[in-house]
Amino acid sequence: MPIPSPDISDIDRIRARMAASPRPADLAARRARVDALGAHYPLPEGVQIQPAKVRDLPAEWTATPDADRDRVILFLHGGGYVSGSLASHRHAVAQAGREAGTRTFALAYRLAPENPYPAALGDALAGYRFLLESGFAPERIALAGESAGGGLAVATALSLRDRGMPLPGCLWLSSPWTDLALTGGSLDTKASVDPLISRAYLAELATAYLNGADPRDPLVSPIHADLTGLPPTLIQVGSAETLLDDALRLAGVAAAADVAVALEVWPHMIHAWHLFYPEVADGRRSLASAGRFIRAQLDRAAGR
């Protein structure tokens, strides 16, 4: 199905707003800035929130009245492993669940530099186990993540596979960061059009998260992983992202491993454009597309 022509003016307004609010140097201020990207947007109509805990980690459910209570999206937020929160992505996660007709379960995994790799991975695995222990069948779980959360979602699926645990019904990855060695050419070719992510900033984030670990470890950079056996995967990326090549290369690695992978490249969209969906038409369209994918894959996994 072809992607509709974008309304470029929508994303240009976001680009101009980001350019007028440069990233601060202080870590606490950076975290507040990322939270502010989404925290001011209202929740979609009819969405209810229920706080939760996984061990000592904050988490939360969202659902609409007509959501299938037996299906869930486990969502891992973006923020380069050092920022992002339940608040920053709540509205977009809730809308994704609305489009997919599922509940959502968002997890506030521990952040670097206070908690470097593999803390976030351990937390994501704990979140998945929590859903299994709560009675969800694995084939009724969609494992999802944005940016660093996208790379973390793949790492979680790889860890589940290697431990012999049941895999989720599908993966949804938006703007995934999959190469902490920073070898993608789009880091340079798209630098002038992506207002959110730059090579220098990613280098800082990678150093904080890795804390000396190998940036080519498949569990931090899944473009180096054998993805054999992973469930059907949707990758969404904007053509104006510095991380464009991370998504393109991950799709190739998945295809080479016989994973059923769908790749959507959204023209002119910047990193994490889903966050701006109340103002950006292609943000709404891409969430609707993700919702259709998740519905279809969970139907397939359930034998419908």
Side-chain angles (χ1 to χ4, degrees):
M1 176 177 167
I3 294 173
S5 298
D7 182 347
I8 301 174
S9 62
D10 286 354
I11 203 65
D12 281 346
R13 283 192 291 272
I14 302 299
R15 185 179 280 111
R17 194 159 75 218
M18 294 297 99
S21 178
R23 182 179 296 109
D26 177 71
L27 177 58
R30 286 183 173 183
R31 287 174 171 168
R33 180 178 184 264
V34 171
D35 281 358
L37 292 178
H40 69 284
Y41 289 121
L43 284 173
E45 185 178 355
V47 169
Q48 296 181 331
I49 300 173
Q50 180 183 348
K53 286 270 191 180
V54 175
R55 299 185 307 202
D56 293 327
L57 302 171
E60 67 182 24
W61 302 95
T62 70
T64 58
D66 60 348
D68 186 332
R69 310 296 289 187
D70 294 326
R71 296 183 176 195
V72 65
I73 300 171
L74 171 57
F75 190 86
L76 305 171
H77 65 74
Y81 297 108
V82 306
S83 60
S85 67
L86 300 178
S88 61
H89 288 69
R90 179 179 291 125
H91 68 298
V93 175
Q95 182 65 13
R98 185 175 186 175
E99 295 286 358
T102 71
R103 303 170 76 184
T104 73
F105 188 73
L107 180 69
Y109 56 85
R110 289 171 293 170
L111 300 176
E114 299 93 335
N115 298 282
Y117 173 74
L121 178 56
D123 294 345
L125 288 166
Y128 187 79
R129 290 192 192 96
F130 174 85
L131 293 179
L132 295 179
E133 292 164 0
S134 298
F136 285 95
E139 64 271 16
R140 294 177 179 266
I141 301 172
L143 178 55
E146 178 213 84
S147 191
L152 182 58
V154 181
T156 302
L158 290 169
S159 296
L160 293 171
R161 181 200 64 187
D162 293 347
R163 296 174 188 207
M165 294 181 64
L167 293 173
C170 65
L171 298 179
W172 166 43
L173 315 173
S174 57
S175 300
W177 187 20
T178 65
D179 175 20
L180 272 64
L182 308 181
T183 62
S186 57
L187 289 172
D188 301 314
T189 61
K190 299 295 183 177
S192 64
V193 290
D194 188 341
L196 282 175
I197 300 294
S198 67
R199 177 185 289 277
Y201 181 50
L202 287 173
E204 290 182 33
L205 301 178
T207 297
Y209 181 59
L210 293 169
N211 192 36
D214 182 356
R216 296 178 182 271
D217 182 331
L219 293 182
V220 297
S221 295
I223 62 164
H224 298 294
D226 175 3
L227 303 184
T228 300
L230 264 58
T233 298
L234 170 64
I235 302 172
Q236 294 181 315
V237 66
S239 70
E241 293 199 46
T242 51
L243 290 182
L244 174 61
D245 280 353
D246 281 42
L248 299 182
R249 289 182 294 165
L250 182 68
V253 171
D258 296 315
V259 174
V261 60
L263 173 66
E264 294 181 356
V265 180
W266 288 77
H268 307 288
M269 292 301 104
I270 63 174
H271 186 67
W273 79 98
H274 299 77
L275 284 179
F276 309 108
Y277 84 86
E279 300 178 74
V280 176
D282 274 359
R284 297 188 289 276
R285 295 184 186 115
S286 57
L287 286 171
S289 180
R292 288 191 296 271
F293 174 85
I294 291 169
R295 283 179 187 263
Q297 295 306 321
L298 297 190
D299 278 351
R300 179 200 59 79
R304 293 186 183 178

